[in-house]
Amino acid sequence: MKVVLAEKPSVARDLASFLKASSRNEGYFEGSGYQVTWALGHLVGLKEPGDYDPYLKKWSLETLPFVPAEFELKLRGDKQSRQQFSIVKRLFRAAEEIICATDAGREGELIFRYILLLTGCAQKPASRLWLNSLTPQAIGTAFLAMRPLADYDNLYAAAKCRSEADWIVGLNATRNYTVRYGSAGILWSLGRVQTPVLAMIARRDDEIRTFTPHPFWELTTDYRDTTFRYSGDRFDKQEDALALLDRVLNHVFAVQKVDRNPKKSLPPQLYDLTELQRDLNRRFGMSAAETLESAQSLYESKLISYPRTDSRYISNDVKKEVPGILRQLQALKPAEVGNLNLDALVFNQRVVNNKKVTDHHAIIPTGTLPGTPSGRNQRVYEAIVVRLIAALYPPCLQ
């Protein structure tokens, strides 16, 4: 029996449907030689200091810094998570092969590897299912392209390093500052990422709060509905600006030269997660967390590709799918898609670049038409659809 571990129940249902594992059991699906189960996110994590030595449960400066000689794992979560882990452990131990189908990225790799270690199944044959979207076609392609789990050891090493670095900095620094400066039960929470980011925000806030505005003056004149501005520096003193104004008053205004330079505006690039978050914040005031939540929901609904990507390009393999995706999207955007020749789309290196696609390609729609996404989800989906179409338009010449 092959056991497939997904990160969430919704993804497990999609995989089970594709594999025709239609028999529902407590905590997993079964059928066609597969058992498909799920992790409920982080079932396993690093032990706390008190798990290594009960003396470390008390926070004091004398015990800092504490770095274990070797990091150990423990089961985490509520009763439901513990029950699910027991099911996963039983299935893993009886499996002939284990397939990792957690989210295809650093964090998903860590979730699977920690579970694999704590179940005692690290020596079992294992493969990696790398999903870019959850459509049946994408799932089928991923199963055909499965690779040995060992091919992703470097990804796991990076995830493990980040996890342990977060632990070392976060737990030691938080204990240090809380013991030194905390009072009346106040926790001073510090972290490897959150603390420098908070420092940047605080520094910028101080700059804004202490900013002292300085007035300045400029000279402009209107001629034939066009505003001309003095090309020299701004004036710190009004009298200097007025002195120059007095010099030019009553003189003939003459246009000595006109330069005509055609402007070429390139179409926008596809979205990675960061650019999607920036754009939705700029246009609709959505926070980064809100945009990610909506994108994740759209991904699980098979409407877009995997959203946690840092690439703004697609690969040659994905390029072949784009005409078909646009034909399906034409029902939503008939005029916009109608301006493209779907039989002869022009792809340039701003769109297709194999060298700039690592874990995942840019965020694009899958072509699956939505039911009734609403609110934030609709805004995010609309932005991703329009961005794919716009990226394939020719440059604008002015």
Side-chain angles (χ1 to χ4, degrees):
M1 187 72 70
K2 296 180 179 180
V3 176
V4 182
L5 179 73
E7 196 165 318
K8 305 175 185 70
S10 60
V11 178
R13 284 193 294 270
D14 291 332
L15 295 175
S17 175
F18 176 83
L19 295 169
K20 296 181 171 53
S22 55
S23 177
R24 175 66 189 264
N25 299 281
E26 183 64 33
Y28 66 99
F29 299 92
E30 185 172 357
S32 304
Y34 289 91
Q35 292 171 327
V36 184
T37 186
W38 53 89
L40 294 175
H42 288 270
L43 292 180
V44 177
L46 298 175
K47 284 184 176 181
E48 300 287 327
D51 297 322
Y52 294 96
D53 186 345
Y55 178 69
L56 296 174
K57 290 182 179 180
K58 180 181 178 181
W59 290 23
S60 68
L61 297 178
E62 288 74 22
T63 59
L64 299 178
F66 173 71
V67 180
E70 184 174 346
F71 281 94
E72 298 177 15
L73 302 174
K74 72 172 183 178
L75 186 58
R76 52 194 263 188
D78 54 19
K79 181 180 179 182
Q80 181 186 10
S81 297
R82 292 177 178 273
Q83 290 174 343
Q84 184 63 22
F85 178 80
S86 297
I87 293 168
V88 172
K89 181 178 179 179
R90 173 169 57 82
L91 296 179
F92 272 20
R93 291 195 168 183
E96 298 172 1
E97 181 185 351
I98 300 172
I99 298 174
C100 170
T102 50
D103 284 357
R106 185 177 62 183
E107 207 58 26
E109 194 71 21
L110 187 71
I111 287 172
F112 178 78
R113 298 293 187 113
Y114 276 0
I115 292 173
L116 194 66
L117 286 171
L118 201 60
T119 57
C121 298
Q123 302 306 315
K124 288 239 178 185
S127 302
R128 187 46 154 121
L129 185 73
W130 198 262
L131 292 167
N132 280 311
S133 71
L134 293 174
T135 62
Q137 180 183 359
I139 293 173
T141 301
F143 269 102
L144 291 174
M146 277 199 307
R147 291 160 56 184
L149 187 67
D151 287 1
Y152 297 87
D153 282 349
N154 286 342
L155 182 65
Y156 167 55
K160 184 171 181 284
C161 178
R162 185 205 59 80
S163 175
E164 293 176 357
D166 285 347
W167 192 101
I168 293 170
V169 175
L171 270 70
N172 283 285
T174 296
R175 288 189 174 206
N176 187 307
Y177 273 76
T178 300
V179 171
R180 287 179 183 274
Y181 307 112
S183 61
I186 296 177
L187 176 70
W188 285 60
S189 178
L190 282 79
R192 180 183 62 87
V193 176
Q194 72 179 46
T195 301
V197 170
L198 181 60
M200 292 169 64
I201 295 171
R203 187 181 303 117
R204 182 59 177 161
D205 190 58
D206 284 343
E207 291 174 355
I208 294 171
R209 181 171 48 83
T210 59
F211 174 74
T212 303
H214 297 284
F216 62 87
W217 288 261
E218 293 182 328
L219 282 182
T220 63
T221 187
D222 292 333
Y223 178 70
R224 292 190 179 182
D225 299 325
T226 301
T227 298
F228 293 84
R229 179 176 286 106
Y230 173 60
S231 60
D233 295 335
R234 293 170 171 174
F235 298 93
D236 294 328
K237 297 179 181 180
Q238 185 179 16
E239 53 267 30
D240 293 339
L242 292 173
L244 182 57
L245 177 62
D246 289 338
R247 287 171 54 193
V248 299
L249 281 177
N250 301 321
H251 285 265
V252 176
F253 180 83
V255 177
Q256 296 179 333
K257 182 180 180 183
V258 177
D259 290 329
R260 297 182 182 275
N261 297 314
K263 292 184 178 180
K264 182 178 181 180
S265 299
L266 296 175
Q269 287 186 271
L270 298 171
Y271 284 127
D272 62 4
L273 177 58
T274 300
E275 182 58 26
L276 177 66
Q277 290 170 320
R278 285 175 180 162
D279 196 25
L280 271 291
N281 177 263
R282 184 167 54 245
R283 293 167 59 190
F284 304 112
M286 289 175 58
S287 69
E290 288 171 340
T291 300
L292 176 56
E293 181 182 358
S294 291
Q296 186 69 26
S297 175
L298 293 169
Y299 166 68
E300 292 175 14
S301 299
K302 309 180 188 66
L303 296 177
I304 66 170
S305 61
Y306 188 70
R308 297 172 188 263
T309 176
D310 60 359
S311 177
R312 303 188 68 183
Y313 303 85
I314 58 174
S315 62
N316 280 315
D317 291 340
V318 179
K319 167 186 168 182
K320 301 172 186 175
E321 302 172 14
V322 172
I325 292 173
L326 290 172
R327 286 189 176 91
Q328 292 174 279
L329 294 176
Q330 196 160 11
L332 294 178
K333 298 288 182 183
E336 293 83 351
V337 176
N339 289 328
L340 296 171
N341 183 354
L342 300 185
D343 294 321
L345 287 174
V346 178
F347 294 91
N348 56 45
Q349 287 195 340
R350 286 169 53 83
V351 177
V352 180
N353 193 326
N354 281 355
K355 294 180 180 179
K356 294 188 177 182
V357 178
T358 52
D359 292 350
H360 297 281
H361 57 69
I363 305 172
I364 62 172
T366 62
T368 301
L369 297 183
T372 54
S374 59
R376 294 198 301 257
N377 286 12
Q378 175 61 31
R379 287 174 172 175
V380 174
Y381 180 71
E382 176 88 3
I384 294 169
V385 168
V386 170
R387 182 56 67 96
L388 173 63
I389 298 171
L392 296 170
Y393 267 51
C396 177
L397 300 177
Q398 297 176 324

